[in-house]
Structures are given as C-alpha cells and as structure tokens.
C-alpha cells in the first residue's frame, strides 16, 4: 500500500466531512460562535495528538539518548515548533490552541467548557474520567475519546495517520470565505478567527501538510499491516469529525440527534471495533444515556 492508495480509500469518508451540511447552515456570527464552541475541542486534541507523537518518536526523557529515525525526528519537531510556537496576528509567539481561545473570546463564544477540562487536568484528573463526568455533548465526548484511545494504542503509525488525515485542512474554502464576509459586516468580532483560518491554510495546507505525509510514509514503511491500521484509523477519525459537525448542526437547530445517529454512536462508543487488525477501545460512560436524552 502507499499514501496514494490510503488517500483513495479514505476519500469517501473525507468527502462526507468537507461537504457536510453544517457549512451551509452557518450564516451569522452566532452560528460561527456555536461552531467555535465545538471546534475548540478538535484544536485541543490535535495538539495532544501532536505531543503524543513527539513523545513516541523523539527522546523527551533524561538522560537524552538518540531515539527513532533522524528524518522522523526532524519532521515531528518541525511540526511541533510551528503548531506550539507560531505567531499571532501581531507577530507574538503563541500556540494555535491559544490563538483559537483568543478568537473565541473576541467573538463572544463560551470558552468555559474547554477551560474546565484544562483545570481538571491540572488538578490531576484523568481524561477518561473527565469525559465521563462532563456534560459535554456526546459528539464531543466521542470525538475526544477516539483521539485519546488512539494515543493510548501507543502505535506511532496510527497516531500519525489520524494526525495527518483528520487535521484542520478539512475545513473548506467556502467556510473561510463566509467568516471573512461576516468579519467585514461585523468588524472586530471575527478578525482573530479569520487570521487563524488563514494561518492554518498557509501552514497546514503547505509545508506542514507535506511533512505529515512524509511522516506517515516513514512510519508505515513496507509493512502492509501498518498501512492497513493507518487506513482504518484515518477512516474512523474522519467519521468522528463528521459526527462532531452533526453535533453542531443539531444544537443549532435545537433538535436531538437523529435516532439512527444515536444508535450508531452508542454502538460505536460501547463496543470494541475490529477492523483490519486494529482494535481501539471505545468509551462507554454512565453519562451516555443522559447525553442522548
């Protein structure tokens, strides 16, 4: 298998994300705020996945010893530097996550759910228990749980695939144009978010995107089982991104998630899935029933 074959296999799942009806439904600053209140969790777990890759592929313990292939070390360290220490609209150093929080504050979006998770982690709580205890929508819980179970798998090639093919270039150009138009109509509310989107297009759509592809190729090598696992995990990541978007749309329309979506989600969360040799644990907390009400 190759990168080209992997991309062909995941193309239908990717198409469901980039053509999701959510984008056409977002037409006002209030809609964009709602989007941001869900999307911030994808930005955060993206950073967690990135740091997990750095931990697996480079030496982050003392005393230092060489670890992994030099090319892979270079790739991941360069991506980390760009994502964790980029520049904001004024040229000041900040992570993309911190930039996004500032964009939310400017737009008047609610940052409390995200900040509450960070506070719980700082207090020593495990992410698994935080998700069970939280009142986050089930779409966000499932999305986060999938990512952290990928991390817990300890398989760098799987992590790299999810990082590469479930990343932020999934947001289509049409949404970017909508945000720019709203920022023009409502000055001072979405300028930081506009910059964030432009920066991601510049960084992820170019150099970092190519580095990530090289990383997947390096980690899978000639091992067909690794390519199969990387492909299966990429499809699952895209499916969860589509479900995250469906959660935004359901909240915007003030409706419960469709019954088929509920049953599909419960089955996915509560049962291990075997697919082409990869098994990723699913989250099944006591809060699932409450979240589905």
């Amino acid at each position: 298998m190759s990168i080209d074959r992997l991309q062909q296999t995941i193309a239908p799942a990717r198409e469901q994300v980039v053509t999701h009806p959510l984008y056409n439904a977002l037409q006002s600053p209030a809609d964009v705020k709602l989007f941001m209140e869900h999307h911030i969790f994808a930005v955060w777990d993206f950073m967690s996945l990135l740091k997990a890759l750095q931990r697996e592929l480079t030496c982050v313990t003392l005393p230092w010893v060489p670890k992994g292939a030099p090319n892979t070390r270079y790739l991941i360290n360069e991506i980390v530097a760009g994502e964790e220490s980029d520049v904001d609209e004024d040229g000041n150093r900040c992570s993309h996550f911190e930039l996004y929080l500032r964009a939310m504050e400017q737009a008047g979006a609610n940052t409390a759910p995200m900040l509450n998770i960070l506070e719980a982690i700082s207090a020593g709580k495990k992410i698994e228990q935080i998700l069970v205890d939280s009142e986050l929508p089930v779409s966000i819980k499932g999305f986060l749980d999938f990512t952290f179970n990928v991390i817990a798998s300890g398989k760098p090639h799987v992590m790299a695939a999810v990082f590469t093919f479930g990343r932020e270039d999934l947001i289509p150009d049409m949404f970017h144009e909508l945000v720019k138009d709203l920022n023009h109509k409502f000055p001072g509310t979405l300028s930081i978010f506009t910059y964030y989107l432009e920066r991601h297009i510049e960084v992820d759509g170019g150099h970092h995107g190519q580095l990530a592809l090289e990383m997947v190729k390096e980690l899978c090598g000639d091992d067909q089982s690794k390519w199969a696992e990387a492909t299966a995990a990429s499809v699952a990541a895209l499916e969860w991104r589509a479900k995250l978007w469906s959660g935004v749309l359901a909240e915007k329309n003030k409706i419960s998630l469709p019954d088929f979506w509920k049953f599909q989600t419960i089955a996915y969360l509560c049962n291990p899935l075997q697919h082409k040799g990869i098994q990723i644990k699913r989250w099944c907390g006591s809060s699932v029933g409450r979240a589905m009400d």
Side-chain angles (χ1 to χ4, degrees):
M1 190 178 284
S2 65
I3 283 288
D4 290 341
R5 179 68 180 277
L6 186 156
Q7 290 177 311
Q8 290 172 6
T9 303
I10 70 173
R14 190 180 192 282
E15 185 69 10
Q16 288 185 341
V17 178
V18 298
T19 62
H20 197 284
L22 170 67
Y23 299 114
N24 285 325
L26 300 178
Q27 298 295 329
S28 70
D31 293 339
V32 175
K33 284 196 295 184
L34 178 62
F35 173 87
M36 297 171 79
E37 289 166 1
H38 287 68
H39 184 224
I40 183 62
F41 292 96
V43 176
W44 174 65
D45 85 339
F46 176 83
M47 295 299 296
S48 299
L49 189 57
L50 175 60
K51 297 302 287 186
L53 277 166
Q54 187 181 39
R55 182 185 64 190
E56 293 291 332
L57 301 176
T58 72
C59 182
V60 293
T61 58
L62 296 174
W64 180 88
V65 295
K67 180 179 180 180
N71 283 343
T72 306
R73 292 199 301 262
Y74 170 78
L75 293 172
I76 194 63
N77 282 331
E78 181 164 340
I79 295 173
V80 167
E83 297 287 342
E84 196 172 37
S85 307
D86 201 6
V87 292
D88 65 13
E89 72 280 11
D90 297 319
N92 300 310
R93 291 291 172 188
C94 69
S95 69
H96 287 177
F97 173 75
E98 292 163 313
L99 179 63
Y100 202 101
L101 281 177
R102 287 187 52 236
M104 291 181 69
E105 291 168 355
Q106 182 191 47
N110 184 15
T111 60
M114 182 70 255
L115 296 178
N116 288 342
I117 286 185
L118 298 183
E119 184 177 349
I121 291 171
S122 297
K125 293 184 178 180
K126 299 293 185 182
I127 185 63
E128 295 83 2
Q129 191 60 46
I130 292 172
L131 293 179
V132 170
D133 294 341
S134 79
E135 297 181 357
L136 291 171
V138 70
S139 54
I140 295 177
K141 287 186 177 186
F143 183 87
L144 291 176
D145 184 75
F146 169 77
T147 300
F148 283 99
N149 277 313
V150 166
I151 292 171
S153 76
K155 297 184 175 184
H157 59 285
V158 172
M159 290 186 248
V162 171
F163 176 85
T164 300
F165 299 107
R167 57 196 287 114
E168 298 311 295
D169 66 356
L170 295 169
I171 296 177
D173 292 342
M174 52 143 321
F175 180 68
H176 183 207
E177 292 302 318
L178 167 67
V179 173
K180 286 200 298 185
D181 182 59
L182 290 173
N183 183 54
H184 178 72
K185 292 178 180 177
F186 303 93
T189 58
L190 294 171
S191 61
I192 299 177
F193 189 43
T194 300
Y195 173 81
Y196 169 88
L197 293 174
E198 291 172 346
R199 190 65 181 154
H200 258 286
I201 290 172
E202 178 181 351
V203 175
D204 287 347
H207 188 49
H208 281 187
Q210 188 57 43
L211 289 177
L213 290 174
E214 292 295 329
M215 179 171 59
V216 173
K217 287 193 287 187
E218 179 109 11
L219 291 171
C220 289
D222 296 325
D223 190 326
Q224 294 306 307
S225 66
K226 288 184 177 181
W227 280 108
E229 288 186 331
T231 301
S234 298
V235 170
L238 290 165
E239 290 173 346
W240 271 112
R241 179 61 70 105
K243 290 174 181 176
L244 183 68
W245 285 177
S246 295
V248 181
L249 195 57
E251 186 169 338
K252 169 182 163 53
N253 294 329
K254 305 298 182 184
I255 59 174
S256 299
L257 294 172
D259 286 342
F260 79 90
W261 200 100
K262 293 181 184 180
F263 296 140
Q264 181 184 15
T265 301
I266 291 173
Y268 186 87
L269 291 174
C270 298
N271 296 292
L273 176 66
Q274 290 277 5
H275 183 55
K276 294 184 178 178
I278 184 172
Q279 179 175 351
I280 301 173
K281 288 194 310 177
R282 306 305 182 204
W283 169 82
C284 187
S286 60
S287 57
V288 170
R290 296 196 302 273
M292 293 296 182
D293 291 341

